[in-house]
Amino acid sequence: MGKTITITWVFLLVLTITTALISEIKDTYISVLILILAALKFTAVSFQFMELKKAHLFWKILILSYLLLFIALIIIIF
Amino acid sequence: MNQEAVDHKNIFFPPGGILLWIIIFLELMTFGVALVIMVYESKAEPVQFHDSRLLLNVTYGMINTIFLLTSGFFMALSVKEMNFYGKQRLKKYLPATILFGSLFLLLKSVEYYEKIEAGLGMGHSTFFNYYWMLTLFHVIHVIVGLIILISVYVGIKKESTTIEDIEASAAFWHMCDLIWLLLFPMLYLLF
């Protein structure tokens, strides 16, 4: 019961700790990497924990569009 | 075995319900716009934003992320168990969901106390204005989410508590995760 959920949780914890560790590195591209890792976590929570993977394609496209637009705007402005 | 009666592949029935998903998108838009404006404003004061960001405790932020993700993990397990064995099985993991959500609030309170003691309150700088407004707005959502989860736990035995209600409560709780997953890197790590 919940094997996929458990794997997702471990994946999320690894990404969270990785994000905190790489933020210490001073490099121009670290900011982009931090945002990409945040986007991965966001996708994992919405598709696995919130079961969006079972939803109609419309909802999947909507959440991914929001995420892509958000990350793109932050990268462009930053 | 109590299988799901609702077909989530139907566009009008996403897991958690369409009304909750409209709320989730409105919330995500609100926080998203605020964060984009914050980044835009940071261009005028990059040094102040960087110096202020360094005053935040990344370890607290990381532990709080782990608390919320673990709480979300138990919430997802609760819904899975409920869909297989019926709503009585919520009692198995829902207390852990509530516990980790409460731990988030406890650590956030410690962090707030330290910031206020250090004189880093609202009005200290533009960065800290955003920090307080965004995190407090998020904390309000976590408190509301916890009240909803506690009411679900107390009302499990009631006939009026449906599986759809519980799925909607779970979706609201996961929304708190989603918002935090945007706030943590943007406030604690980016600048």
Side-chain angles (χ1 to χ4, degrees), chain B residues 102-156:
Chain B
S102 305
L103 286 174
F104 173 88
L105 285 183
L106 183 69
L107 186 56
K108 203 88 202 104
S109 305
V110 172
E111 189 183 357
Y112 280 164
Y113 177 77
E114 287 182 4
K115 291 287 162 285
I116 291 168
E117 283 292 296
L120 302 170
M122 192 83 127
H124 175 270
S125 62
T126 313
F127 176 85
F128 273 99
N129 287 346
Y130 277 105
Y131 165 80
W132 283 103
M133 283 192 293
L134 289 166
T135 58
L136 275 174
F137 193 35
H138 176 257
V139 160
I140 291 168
H141 286 78
V142 174
I143 293 168
V144 171
L146 279 176
I147 292 168
I148 292 170
L149 292 184
I150 291 166
S151 71
V152 164
Y153 185 79
V154 172
I156 287 173

Side-chain angles (χ1 to χ4, degrees), chain A residues 48-63:
Chain A
Q48 297 298 333
F49 286 2
M50 299 175 94
E51 296 191 312
L52 214 54
K53 62 180 176 181
K54 292 183 186 172
H56 189 275
L57 187 64
F58 168 79
W59 297 102
K60 296 176 189 173
I61 292 173
L62 203 60
I63 197 98

Side-chain angles (χ1 to χ4, degrees), chain A residues 9 50-51 56 59 66 78, chain B residues 9 11 15 28 43 70 174:
Chain A
W9 175 59
M50 299 175 94
E51 296 191 312
H56 189 275
W59 297 102
Y66 166 84
F78 194 74
Chain B
K9 284 287 177 201
I11 193 168
L28 288 175
K43 301 311 288 177
T70 305
H174 290 307

Side-chain angles (χ1 to χ4, degrees), chain A residues 10 20 22 75:
Chain A
V10 173
I22 64 161
I75 290 173

Side-chain angles (χ1 to χ4, degrees), chain A residues 1-2 5-6 9 12-13 16 19-20 23 31 34-35 38 41-42 45 49-56 58-60 62-63 66 70 74 77-78, chain B residues 4 8-9 11 14-15 18 21 24-25 28 32 35-36 39-40 43 62 65 69-70 73 76 80-81 85 171 174 178 181-182 185-186 189-191:
Chain A
M1 174 65 68
I5 294 171
T6 308
W9 175 59
L12 287 165
L13 295 190
T16 301
T19 310
S23 69
S31 305
I34 287 168
L35 289 171
K41 288 194 282 180
F42 188 98
V45 168
F49 286 2
M50 299 175 94
E51 296 191 312
L52 214 54
K53 62 180 176 181
K54 292 183 186 172
H56 189 275
F58 168 79
W59 297 102
K60 296 176 189 173
L62 203 60
I63 197 98
Y66 166 84
F70 176 76
I74 297 295
I77 299 169
F78 194 74
Chain B
E4 288 169 274
H8 291 311
K9 284 287 177 201
I11 193 168
I18 192 165
W21 273 97
I24 289 172
F25 275 102
L28 288 175
L35 287 169
V36 168
V39 172
Y40 181 75
K43 301 311 288 177
M62 186 188 73
T65 308
L69 289 173
T70 305
F73 162 68
K80 192 141 189 116
E81 287 261 333
Y85 304 111
H174 290 307
L178 287 186
L181 289 179
L182 298 180
M186 298 294 296
L189 308 175
L190 197 68
F191 298 106

Side-chain angles (χ1 to χ4, degrees), chain B:
Chain B
M1 187 177 282
N2 184 14
Q3 287 291 353
E4 288 169 274
V6 179
D7 175 21
H8 291 311
K9 284 287 177 201
N10 185 320
I11 193 168
F12 299 109
F13 297 101
I18 192 165
L19 285 176
L20 217 288
W21 273 97
I22 291 170
I23 292 171
I24 289 172
F25 275 102
L26 287 173
E27 296 280 1
L28 288 175
M29 292 300 282
T30 308
F31 277 95
V33 168
L35 287 169
V36 168
I37 294 171
M38 178 182 81
V39 172
Y40 181 75
E41 275 205 45
S42 77
K43 301 311 288 177
E45 304 170 276
V47 177
Q48 183 250 101
F49 267 70
H50 177 68
D51 292 346
S52 299
R53 191 279 281 182
L54 292 177
L55 295 171
L56 294 183
N57 191 325
V58 177
T59 308
Y60 282 176
M62 186 188 73
I63 294 170
N64 256 344
T65 308
I66 291 169
F67 282 158
L68 267 195
L69 289 173
T70 305
S71 180
F73 162 68
F74 283 118
M75 186 76 252
L77 279 182
S78 297
V79 171
K80 192 141 189 116
E81 287 261 333
M82 176 187 74
N83 286 332
F84 270 92
Y85 304 111
K87 62 181 185 179
Q88 284 302 322
R89 286 296 281 260
L90 271 182
K91 291 212 168 187
K92 191 174 174 185
Y93 294 119
L94 203 54
T97 310
I98 295 167
L99 172 71
F100 280 97
S102 305
L103 286 174
F104 173 88
L105 285 183
L106 183 69
L107 186 56
K108 203 88 202 104
S109 305
V110 172
E111 189 183 357
Y112 280 164
Y113 177 77
E114 287 182 4
K115 291 287 162 285
I116 291 168
E117 283 292 296
L120 302 170
M122 192 83 127
H124 175 270
S125 62
T126 313
F127 176 85
F128 273 99
N129 287 346
Y130 277 105
Y131 165 80
W132 283 103
M133 283 192 293
L134 289 166
T135 58
L136 275 174
F137 193 35
H138 176 257
V139 160
I140 291 168
H141 286 78
V142 174
I143 293 168
V144 171
L146 279 176
I147 292 168
I148 292 170
L149 292 184
I150 291 166
S151 71
V152 164
Y153 185 79
V154 172
I156 287 173
K157 284 183 180 172
K158 288 181 186 168
E159 282 289 315
S160 56
T161 308
T162 65
I163 285 179
E164 285 75 29
D165 292 338
I166 296 164
E167 283 186 341
S169 310
F172 185 91
W173 187 244
H174 290 307
M175 178 191 77
C176 297
D177 281 13
L178 287 186
I179 296 169
W180 182 254
L181 289 179
L182 298 180
L183 292 185
F184 170 60
M186 298 294 296
L187 289 170
Y188 290 75
L189 308 175
L190 197 68
F191 298 106

